[in-house]
Amino acid sequence: MLAYIVRRLWQIIPTLLGVILLIFFLFNVVGGDPAYLLAGKISNPEQIANIRKQLGIDEPYYVQLWIFVKQVVTFDFGSSWSTNEAVSSIFATRLPASLMIGIPLLILETVIAVVIALGVAYLRGSFTDRAAMITCTVAQSVSILVYIIIFQYVLAYKFGWFPVQGWGNGFFENLFKFAALPILIALVVSLAPNIRLYRTFLLDETNQDYVRTARAKGLSENRVMFVHVLRNASIPIITNLMIQLPGLLVGLFLIERFFSVPGIGREVILAVERSDFPVIKAITVYVALATMLANLAADLLYKAVDPRVELK
Amino acid sequence: MTTAVMNPSATTTGQRSPGLWSLAWRRLLADKVAVIALAVVVFFLLLSLASFFGVVAKGWNREVAINYAPPTLFKDSNKPSADLAPGKAAQSGPAIDGAVAKAPLDNDRDPLRDVINELKTQLGQSSGTEAAGDIKIVDPLADVMAELRKKLGRVGEEGAAAVDEKKLESLQFGADKWGRDVLQKVIQGSETSILVGFAAAIVATLIGTFLGALAGYFGGKTDDVLNWFYSIFSSIPYILLVLAIAAVLKQKGILTVVLILGLTGWTSIFRLVRAEYLKHKARDYVRAANAIGASNMRRMFVHIFPNISHVVLVQLSLHVVLFIKSEVILSFLGFGVPVDTVSWGSMLNEAQNELILGYWWQLAAATAFMAILVTAFSLFTDALRDALDPKLK
């Protein structure tokens, strides 16, 4: 087990190096010279040269790449080009807001989606099943933008049930007042694809022989669906959850933007708008790292769920 | 290599036993939902082609109506004219759905149907206020005249004199901030979104298929390198990678959006195609091809590819939907198509502010068009997958 984890962690290194190379290529080679951008409209050659020296982009590429690698390893990306805030402090202060929306969302979404999927999988082929699937398809076809615009307008602006946007200081104030509507919208948006996905996972299992055996033994339908089928379908469900996990870091960037939630996702959009390269570089590299770790965690969870799985 | 994909009925020839494609085609036609979905998709394709060649929605940029002219489609207009008698007005609600499903079928027989429909809509629009529409059909120069009159009208406005032809006070789908026809805008937006969706999906499919074929077929070092490449791209969340590239590429344009989406979206196609090539490369027919001296490239793309092209086709279809949705988000954020191009995303961006003022029609039009197309395309993709792979259920 330990040997397996160590080996997997070891395998992360070449991929992480690849990500660093890709980001470096994008921002330092394709992205061009940011000095003109930073100096603004009124600039003289001296200022430009000065900025270039500060950023280290007058060095050859291999030196710049080495600086970037050092930044990744030491978690020190310097400071944002536009606000001068340290990138590490941006991470520390923006992450809580993203997680405040992301974690309750993930829990609610998984529980609700699994329960509904179990229901429609149980009623497979019936009118309810078909109607639910068509509803999901249509719901998925409407852009997330439309959900946000309409929910924000109707529930917050018209009815005044939620604040239109903003973020507070207290934990509970944020969770129950400001995060409530963002979580609701994200829930509505993510339920449709997840129900469809989990339904197929569950259907793969309900056709298996062991389900017939369980029913033949006279087990209640609840026990068959919730214990036998659900446990066996949990591997693909866990995979799907783990795939979504790193997304929590980036947050639901559109929702954060609409509701002015000071999270990582909004920071990404702001950084792209301002061409704030250090912030984008840092977020991309660390989210990629988080994704690789989440994949490892998923594989370890398989073993916990299904003892037949061999880790090799 | 796309010819095999694009031409499903090519293998249907007289006496031979039906091939995969003709069987799949028959299965697809047996599915009512699939046929309707396909009809809707074809309608949208024709619409965007017509818009591309300037047949419809040419004047989306013209300010034909007053600012925020209200839509007349779903309610009786303020002054009910003969055209908008209650019976007719009641029909106009379901008319959109009906038109969407019917039009492509009619199109096969009547090439001018689109033009006539367009004229009819114009007639419908103007009949709400003035009888100008009647003239248009009789007089081919009516458009020019109207243009001239409008210019005159603009001059006249300054003098505050009563002008012969005013800007329209209502339109079927309403008007935006500058009085531009929302219907024409949304058609123009369909063109942009469909163009971007298809072009990006083709780019992504070409990259994914080519790399996947190389990795699966050659294995060994090639596979290792390409897998490394794959793991790099797949470890960065898709939308983050898209935004990162959007940040780097300064110039905006349709080509940029296509490249961003295409260069980032190939990973799942790569994985599937690689797995297929791994499976197929050891099969007897490939060994036989090897024995008669077919080159590697020939074995990969002439022998194996037709046998896996159904997987590629389904992926292509899935990615069109994915990229249309992504383009809308990119354009909404302002990282997508340039300002002088209409897209559903940029319409939603404008609509976001209009909604608070109570002008909901641009939001409704962009949402409805996008939802209809994406629903139809998703249903079609599902049916396509079922038809091509009957074992999968």
Side-chain angles (χ1 to χ4, degrees):
Chain A
M1 186 73 168
L2 191 69
Y4 172 78
I5 297 176
V6 170
R7 200 169 56 247
R8 281 289 301 265
L9 286 174
W10 189 243
Q11 283 168 355
I12 284 180
I13 293 176
T15 313
L16 186 62
L17 274 178
V19 171
I20 291 176
L21 271 176
L22 175 70
I23 300 299
F24 180 79
F25 175 75
L26 274 180
F27 286 93
N28 291 44
V29 182
V30 181
D33 193 341
Y36 291 95
L37 207 98
L38 284 172
K41 282 195 180 120
I42 312 151
S43 57
N44 54 45
E46 282 161 44
Q47 275 177 319
I48 300 248
N50 210 1
I51 292 173
R52 292 176 59 108
K53 197 161 182 65
Q54 264 182 8
L55 297 175
I57 48 175
D58 51 349
E59 306 277 354
Y61 281 135
Y62 65 91
V63 180
Q64 292 184 41
L65 182 61
W66 179 237
I67 295 174
F68 186 33
V69 173
K70 272 201 293 199
Q71 284 177 333
V72 173
V73 176
T74 57
F75 294 92
D76 179 14
F77 274 80
S79 41
S80 152
W81 286 352
S82 46
T83 60
N84 237 356
E85 188 179 354
V87 175
S88 53
S89 125
I90 290 183
F91 259 95
T93 51
R94 308 300 196 276
L95 197 56
S98 285
L99 294 182
M100 178 85 76
I101 294 178
I103 292 173
L105 169 70
L106 202 62
I107 296 169
L108 285 174
E109 167 201 302
T110 309
V111 173
I112 298 175
V114 166
V115 169
I116 296 181
L118 272 171
V120 286
Y122 180 64
L123 299 168
R124 178 167 54 115
S126 71
F127 177 74
T128 318
D129 178 33
R130 288 203 67 138
M133 284 309 103
I134 289 176
T135 313
C136 283
T137 309
V138 176
Q140 251 180 301
S141 309
V142 177
S143 176
I144 177 173
L145 293 163
V146 175
Y147 285 106
I148 302 177
I149 293 172
I150 291 182
F151 273 63
Q152 193 180 31
Y153 176 71
V154 174
L155 297 184
Y157 183 79
K158 275 266 154 170
F159 294 169
W161 293 350
F162 303 95
V164 174
Q165 50 175 231
W167 202 247
N169 291 318
F171 178 83
F172 289 102
E173 184 195 13
N174 280 337
L175 184 61
F176 291 108
K177 193 173 160 201
F178 292 109
L181 187 55
I183 291 174
L184 180 69
I185 295 174
L187 196 59
V188 170
V189 172
S190 60
L191 270 184
N194 278 326
I195 290 174
R196 274 170 62 107
L197 197 64
Y198 294 164
R199 176 181 168 272
T200 51
F201 294 159
L202 291 165
L203 281 185
D204 286 345
E205 296 299 326
T206 49
N207 293 330
Q208 302 281 332
D209 288 340
Y210 72 83
V211 178
R212 203 186 316 138
T213 312
R215 290 201 173 119
K217 280 198 304 187
L219 294 182
S220 72
E221 278 303 326
N222 276 342
R223 198 169 163 79
V224 173
M225 291 307 282
F226 281 98
V227 178
H228 291 240
V229 171
L230 187 56
R231 176 130 198 215
N232 279 288
S234 53
I235 284 203
I237 294 179
I238 288 175
T239 316
N240 185 50
L241 268 180
M242 284 296 156
I243 291 171
Q244 292 183 352
L245 207 54
L248 292 187
L249 289 178
V250 197
L252 299 130
F253 67 103
L254 282 173
I255 289 183
E256 286 183 6
R257 181 176 184 270
F258 269 92
F259 289 94
S260 301
V261 175
I264 299 268
R266 182 163 148 267
E267 207 57 44
V268 172
I269 296 183
L270 284 176
V272 174
E273 278 168 356
R274 298 165 174 163
S275 298
D276 200 341
F277 288 179
V279 178
I280 312 174
K281 277 158 90 174
I283 292 179
T284 315
V285 170
Y286 290 129
V287 171
L289 183 62
T291 311
M292 294 177 234
L293 292 176
N295 286 340
L296 172 59
D299 288 349
L300 294 177
L301 267 176
Y302 293 164
K303 180 81 184 161
V305 174
D306 186 348
R308 290 171 303 177
V309 170
E310 274 182 39
L311 301 173
K312 28 174 199 182
Chain B
M1 72 198 221
T2 43
T3 47
V5 179
M6 291 310 191
N7 197 358
S9 56
T11 47
T12 328
T13 44
Q15 308 302 321
R16 281 161 54 190
S17 64
L20 168 77
W21 294 106
S22 61
L23 276 176
W25 183 241
R26 252 183 257 165
R27 261 181 245 129
L28 198 66
L29 289 184
D31 186 349
K32 267 198 205 102
V33 178
V35 173
I36 296 172
L38 182 62
V40 175
V41 172
V42 169
F43 171 75
F44 268 93
L45 289 181
L46 290 177
L47 193 67
S48 48
L49 269 184
S51 153
F52 185 75
F53 289 111
V55 183
V56 295
K58 195 168 47 181
W60 66 270
N61 218 349
R62 278 213 311 265
E63 295 158 16
V64 291
I66 56 168
N67 303 351
Y68 297 124
T72 54
L73 190 63
F74 297 103
K75 48 184 169 188
D76 293 331
S77 83
N78 298 335
K79 33 178 175 178
S81 64
D83 261 327
L84 283 168
K88 191 126 190 181
Q91 273 177 9
S92 57
I96 350 163
D97 298 349
V100 166
K102 240 178 2 204
L105 302 174
D106 290 340
N107 254 339
D108 297 339
R109 269 173 271 130
D110 186 356
L112 280 178
R113 176 76 57 163
D114 264 344
V115 185
I116 294 173
N117 277 341
E118 170 74 357
L119 285 174
K120 272 187 191 158
T121 27
Q122 279 175 6
L123 177 63
Q125 282 162 17
S126 38
S127 63
T129 50
E130 263 136 27
D134 290 310
I135 306 165
K136 226 173 223 172
I137 289 177
V138 190
D139 182 3
L141 283 177
D143 263 331
V144 186
M145 283 299 287
E147 192 68 39
L148 284 172
R149 276 197 203 139
K150 222 175 79 183
K151 279 181 188 156
L152 274 176
R154 265 187 202 157
V155 179
E157 266 169 19
E158 288 163 26
V163 201
D164 186 27
E165 260 224 352
K166 285 183 294 189
K167 288 186 170 182
L168 300 169
E169 276 172 17
S170 61
L171 283 164
Q172 268 192 328
F173 281 70
D176 71 355
K177 192 157 96 185
W178 293 281
R180 298 183 299 191
D181 185 356
V182 167
L183 177 62
Q184 298 208 6
K185 274 182 85 178
V186 83
I187 291 175
Q188 194 70 28
S190 315
E191 183 205 321
T192 311
S193 295
I194 290 171
L195 180 71
V196 169
F198 271 88
I202 288 170
V203 171
T205 310
L206 285 179
I207 298 175
T209 308
F210 186 68
L211 296 184
L214 288 180
Y217 182 81
F218 287 112
K221 285 271 185 298
T222 321
D223 191 25
D224 289 343
V225 171
L226 290 171
N227 257 330
W228 176 68
F229 209 55
Y230 162 78
S231 65
I232 294 168
F233 273 86
S234 60
S235 67
I236 305 174
Y238 175 67
I239 200 72
L240 192 56
L241 188 57
V242 166
L243 287 177
I245 298 182
V248 169
L249 296 176
K250 297 289 183 313
Q251 71 272 44
K252 283 183 191 169
I254 291 188
L255 188 66
T256 317
V257 183
V258 169
L259 282 180
I260 292 177
L261 295 174
L263 290 178
T264 51
W266 54 271
T267 46
S268 61
I269 303 171
F270 168 84
R271 194 166 41 88
L272 286 170
V273 170
R274 175 178 169 274
E276 288 294 320
Y277 269 85
L278 273 178
K279 207 165 70 187
H280 276 267
K281 73 173 176 187
R283 296 235 169 127
D284 286 342
Y285 73 91
V286 183
R287 288 200 199 154
N290 184 23
I292 58 171
S295 67
N296 279 329
M297 278 296 150
R298 202 175 158 77
R299 267 177 278 160
M300 278 162 73
F301 294 112
V302 178
H303 293 267
I304 301 181
F305 183 75
N307 289 309
I308 66 142
S309 51
H310 62 281
V311 177
V312 177
L313 184 64
V314 171
Q315 285 302 312
L316 180 73
S317 190
L318 272 177
H319 280 77
V320 172
V321 172
L322 176 71
F323 291 148
I324 286 178
K325 286 167 126 176
S326 308
E327 187 274 331
V328 168
I329 292 177
L330 272 183
S331 296
F332 176 86
L333 290 173
F335 307 140
V337 296
V339 192
D340 56 346
T341 317
V342 190
S343 134
W344 289 333
S346 59
M347 285 181 74
L348 288 177
N349 195 350
E350 289 170 23
Q352 177 200 356
N353 300 322
E354 292 172 7
L355 189 64
I356 299 179
L357 303 170
Y359 308 123
W360 49 270
W361 34 93
Q362 183 154 229
L363 176 70
T367 306
F369 268 65
M370 185 184 165
I372 292 172
L373 174 67
V374 173
T375 306
F377 222 116
S378 314
L379 290 173
F380 171 70
T381 307
D382 286 351
L384 188 68
R385 182 168 31 196
D386 290 347
L388 285 170
D389 194 353
K391 281 172 296 182
L392 202 147
K393 270 273 159 137

